[in-house]
């Protein structure tokens, strides 16, 4: 049988004779791409030019980009898929479920997608893997079934527990402390808030540094010199620890400087004898909403845990006309990491230095008593146990009436309000007016009109009981502090007699 086409060697010889040297490459190209019926007629599909074959081709249907604008804003990064695990050591099973439900809310606030949650009943957490080696293998199966990429533990794990549990489940493992620190890092806006969160993160990170590969190698040096090879030097992980300690020392100095500025403002308020009220409470209990209702502060309000971290101080006035300051503080949570308590101590001093604490609790929460206990534990840590307290049961419009009655019966100095509807706010303002400390000295004076500043100070710094304008001046009866009483003394009836 004779071949219908010539061999490659014959084609090359023919092209060599038919074309000059400079055009042989182009001719070969044309020969290579020339269409022949006996070879190309049996090809399937569309044929592409060389440039089209080499170009990037977009494959339809692979994009997972979010089209909803609200989802794009909320999910700026891909949501981590997490499995929650807790160790139930004390209390009832309902307490354990509530704790894990709160951990799920924290995870969602941090931007994670919760797939599953498991609880292990133990007398105490396992020293090696937190939940025990057998349960860690079961947790690995749960992670594989759900396709999770992170495990979050409802407690603070030691560095050894983190490493060994990760070795078993084969995905990233974090604890409750790291999760809360991550939320704080996302929500901190002010310079001081960012510095406080950074300090807390470094305190948490320092004992948990790890070294892999070259990170454990020694630096050259040590000894008394030589050719830079004598004696073991500092390892990479030791260098990292030293640098973190240096950064922590610098951060503490910066926070101390910011604390000085806040202390100057507090001293100015004390000098002017302006009473102060601090709003404290569990996270997402409605503290910022209450501040906005009472003062019109315009603070961010969001149905999320730790939506606002930076303290806000606003001026307010009681129904009787007395001026006072209202300070919104950072929210608290069960098992608040001690790193955060230490880092935010300067901010929490607003609570310790106040004249009255409005302890806000979520009345719609299933167990509000746990919120009260958690907040009071932190209040004890910052030394504010002697400050008078009013328990403000917020979200009364959505609360169970039986829960409200129980709280109002147990907490003697309490009131039910709703920052959303305005229910009970007038009564709350009246209660604040009654509970705020009053000036200790009562003075009656005839102040000449030329000393109008004293009358203005009486209105600002004291409590005016009566005021009458006469031909000789302003006759006022006020309750003021000792310093202003001394300034008014030359105009009292005894002094002018």
């Amino acid at each position: 049988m004779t071949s219908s086409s010539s061999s490659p060697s014959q084609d090359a010889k023919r092209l060599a004779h038919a074309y000059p040297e400079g055009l042989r490459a182009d001719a070969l190209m044309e020969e290579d791409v020339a269409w022949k019926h006996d070879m190309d007629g049996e090809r399937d599909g569309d044929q592409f030019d060389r440039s089209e074959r080499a170009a990037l081709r977009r494959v339809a249907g692979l994009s997972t980009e979010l089209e909803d604008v609200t989802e794009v804003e909320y999910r700026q990064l891909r949501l981590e898929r997490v499995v929650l695990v807790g160790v139930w050591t004390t209390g009832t099973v309902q307490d354990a479920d509530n704790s894990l439900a709160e951990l799920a809310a924290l995870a969602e606030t941090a931007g994670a997608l919760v797939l599953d949650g498991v609880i292990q009943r133990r007398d105490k957490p396992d020293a090696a893997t937190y939940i025990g080696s057998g349960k860690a293998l079961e947790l690995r199966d749960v992670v594989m079934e759900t396709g999770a990429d992170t495990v979050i533990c409802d407690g603070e794990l030691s560095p050894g527990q983190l490493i060994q549990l990760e070795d078993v489940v084969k995905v990233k493992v974090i604890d409750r402390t790291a999760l809360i620190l991550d939320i704080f890092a996302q929500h901190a806006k002010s310079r001081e808030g960012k510095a406080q969160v950074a300090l807390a993160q470094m305190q948490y990170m320092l004992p948990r540094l790890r070294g892999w590969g070259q990170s454990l190698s020694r630096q050259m040096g040590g000894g008394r010199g030589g050719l830079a090879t004598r004696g073991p030097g500092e390892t990479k992980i030791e260098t990292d620890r030293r640098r973190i300690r240096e950064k922590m020392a610098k951060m503490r100095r910066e926070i101390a400087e910011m604390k000085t500025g806040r202390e100057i403002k507090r001293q100015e308020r004390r000098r002017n004898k302006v009473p102060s009220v601090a709003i404290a409470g569990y996270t997402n209990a409605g503290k910022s909403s209450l501040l906005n209702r009472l003062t019109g502060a315009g603070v961010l309000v969001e149905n999320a845990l730790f939506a606002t971290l930076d303290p806000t101080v606003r001026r307010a006035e009681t129904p009787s006309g007395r001026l006072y300051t209202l300070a919104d503080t950072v929210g608290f949570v069960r098992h608040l990491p001690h790193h955060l308590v230490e880092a935010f101590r300067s901010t929490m001093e607003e609570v310790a230095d106040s004249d009255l604490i409005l302890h806000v609790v979520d009345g719609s929460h299933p167990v509000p008593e746990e919120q009260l206990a958690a907040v009071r534990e932190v209040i004890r840590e910052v030394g504010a146990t002697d400050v008078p307290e009013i328990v403000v049961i917020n979200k009364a419009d959505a609360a169970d009436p039986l829960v409200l009655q129980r709280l109002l019966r147990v907490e003697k100095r309490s009131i039910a309000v709703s920052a959303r509807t305005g229910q009970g706010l007038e009564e709350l303002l009246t209660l604040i007016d009654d509970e705020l400390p009053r000036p200790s000295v009562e003075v009656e004076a005839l102040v000449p009109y030329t000393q109008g500043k004293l009358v203005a100070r009486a209105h600002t710094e004291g409590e005016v009981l009566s005021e009458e304008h006469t031909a000789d001046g302003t006759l006022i009866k006020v309750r003021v502090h000792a310093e202003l009483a001394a300034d008014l003394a030359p105009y009292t009836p005894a002094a002018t007699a």
Side-chain angles (χ1 to χ4, degrees):
M1 181 183 294
T2 59
S3 175
S4 59
S5 61
S6 59
S7 65
S9 60
Q10 292 174 342
D11 290 342
K13 291 178 181 179
R14 178 172 54 82
L15 289 171
H17 291 291
Y19 292 93
E21 185 71 23
L23 299 178
R24 286 178 187 173
D26 294 339
L28 286 170
M29 293 276 291
E30 293 173 1
E31 184 72 12
D32 182 56
V33 299
W35 187 87
K36 295 183 179 180
H37 179 77
D38 56 352
M39 295 175 58
D40 300 331
E42 297 178 357
R43 292 179 183 174
D44 297 330
D46 298 330
Q47 306 305 314
F48 299 97
D49 294 335
R50 180 182 297 272
S51 61
E52 290 177 330
R53 290 201 303 270
L56 291 175
R57 186 160 53 92
R58 188 179 298 278
V59 180
L62 293 186
S63 174
T64 59
E65 183 179 1
L66 298 175
E67 297 181 358
D68 188 350
V69 175
T70 58
E71 291 189 14
V72 172
E73 292 176 350
Y74 177 70
R75 293 171 55 183
Q76 297 178 0
L77 300 174
R78 184 181 70 86
L79 297 183
E80 286 192 62
R81 300 163 61 85
V82 303
V83 170
L84 311 179
V85 56
V87 171
W88 170 29
T89 56
T90 58
T92 64
V93 64
Q94 186 63 39
D95 296 336
D97 290 344
N98 289 338
S99 181
L100 210 65
E102 183 177 271
L103 186 67
L106 288 168
E108 291 176 0
T109 302
L113 179 64
V114 179
L115 302 178
D116 205 349
V118 293
I119 297 176
Q120 162 71 348
R121 182 70 171 95
R122 298 179 63 91
D123 293 335
K124 62 180 180 179
D126 183 66
T129 60
Y130 182 64
I131 55 175
S133 57
K135 295 302 177 183
L137 293 174
E138 293 182 22
L139 178 62
R140 182 187 63 184
D141 295 338
V142 173
V143 169
M144 295 177 64
E145 290 172 5
T146 57
D149 48 31
T150 304
V151 171
I152 303 179
C153 298
D154 191 16
E156 184 168 346
L157 273 62
S158 67
Q161 288 173 324
L162 280 171
I163 294 173
Q164 295 191 51
L165 190 56
E166 278 187 353
D167 289 341
V168 177
V169 299
K170 305 302 181 184
V171 296
K172 181 175 67 175
V173 176
I174 64 173
D175 57 13
R176 183 187 183 96
T177 301
L179 178 62
I180 294 177
L181 287 172
D182 181 77
I183 297 173
F184 271 58
Q186 292 181 38
H187 292 176
K189 302 300 181 188
S190 69
R191 178 169 170 260
E192 183 173 11
K194 291 178 181 179
Q196 290 168 328
V197 173
L199 177 60
Q201 285 180 317
M202 286 186 286
Q203 286 176 322
Y204 173 80
M205 188 193 313
L206 187 60
R208 291 170 174 80
L209 287 179
R210 306 181 194 177
W212 292 283
Q214 294 298 319
S215 296
L216 293 177
S217 62
R218 293 276 181 181
Q219 292 183 358
M220 292 186 298
R224 294 187 177 180
L227 298 178
T229 58
R230 208 167 299 167
E234 191 177 36
T235 62
K236 178 66 166 60
I237 197 169
E238 289 169 347
T239 305
D240 293 340
R241 287 189 180 125
R242 176 169 49 80
R243 288 175 177 170
I244 287 179
R245 290 190 185 98
E246 291 172 355
K247 288 183 179 179
M248 287 171 58
K250 179 182 177 182
M251 205 69 68
R252 287 193 180 98
R253 289 194 297 269
E254 292 179 358
I255 293 175
E257 292 174 0
M258 301 175 198
K259 176 184 175 182
T260 302
R262 196 185 311 106
E263 181 63 28
I264 291 173
K265 294 179 181 178
R266 278 203 292 262
Q267 288 177 357
E268 184 69 16
R269 292 199 295 268
R270 291 194 202 103
R271 189 178 65 82
N272 294 328
K273 305 299 180 181
V274 179
S276 61
V277 178
I279 302 178
Y282 213 76
T283 179
N284 206 31
K287 299 183 300 299
S288 298
S289 300
L290 186 63
L291 177 70
N292 289 342
R293 270 285 187 172
L294 295 178
T295 66
V299 177
L300 170 68
V301 173
E302 187 177 352
N303 185 22
L305 278 64
F306 301 112
T308 52
L309 296 181
D310 304 318
T312 304
V313 180
R314 291 292 182 269
R315 177 176 172 174
E317 187 174 335
T318 65
S320 64
R322 300 171 62 199
L323 295 178
Y324 66 97
T325 59
L326 197 61
D328 183 18
T329 61
V330 63
F332 303 144
V333 72
R334 276 182 298 187
H335 312 302
L336 190 67
H338 63 276
H339 307 295
L340 281 174
V341 175
E342 288 299 320
F344 279 79
R345 184 172 294 276
S346 59
T347 300
M348 294 176 182
E349 287 175 357
E350 292 286 351
V351 178
D353 290 342
S354 63
D355 297 302
L356 179 65
I357 297 176
L358 295 185
H359 186 163
V360 183
V361 61
D362 184 359
S364 63
H365 191 269
V367 193
E369 290 87 355
E370 292 184 0
Q371 292 190 352
L372 288 168
V375 174
R376 282 170 176 161
E377 180 180 352
V378 180
I379 289 177
R380 281 195 298 270
E381 289 186 29
V382 298
T385 53
D386 297 332
V387 182
E389 175 191 67
I390 297 177
V391 176
V392 181
I393 309 169
N394 194 22
K395 305 182 184 179
D397 55 320
D400 185 349
L402 295 178
V403 174
L404 283 181
Q405 292 176 12
R406 186 177 73 238
L407 285 175
L408 292 171
R409 183 176 63 255
V410 173
E411 300 293 337
K412 302 305 179 184
R413 294 155 58 90
S414 60
I415 184 172
V417 304
S418 172
R420 186 175 68 86
T421 64
Q423 170 190 343
L425 293 182
E426 294 295 332
E427 293 82 355
L428 175 60
L429 288 171
T430 303
L431 189 57
I432 292 174
D433 196 358
D434 295 338
E435 294 293 335
L436 281 178
R438 297 180 178 275
S440 56
V441 183
E442 187 172 316
V443 178
E444 183 176 0
L446 181 62
V447 183
Y449 290 118
T450 56
Q451 298 295 326
K453 290 183 179 180
L454 288 176
V455 178
R457 285 182 59 191
H459 281 275
T460 304
E461 303 173 18
E463 182 180 1
V464 178
L465 304 178
S466 65
E467 183 178 9
E468 181 182 354
H469 298 286
T470 66
D472 298 325
T474 304
L475 181 61
I476 56 173
K477 186 176 182 180
V478 293
R479 187 178 287 115
V480 294
H481 52 83
E483 183 181 348
L484 183 53
D487 294 338
L488 289 172
Y491 309 106
T492 58
T496 56

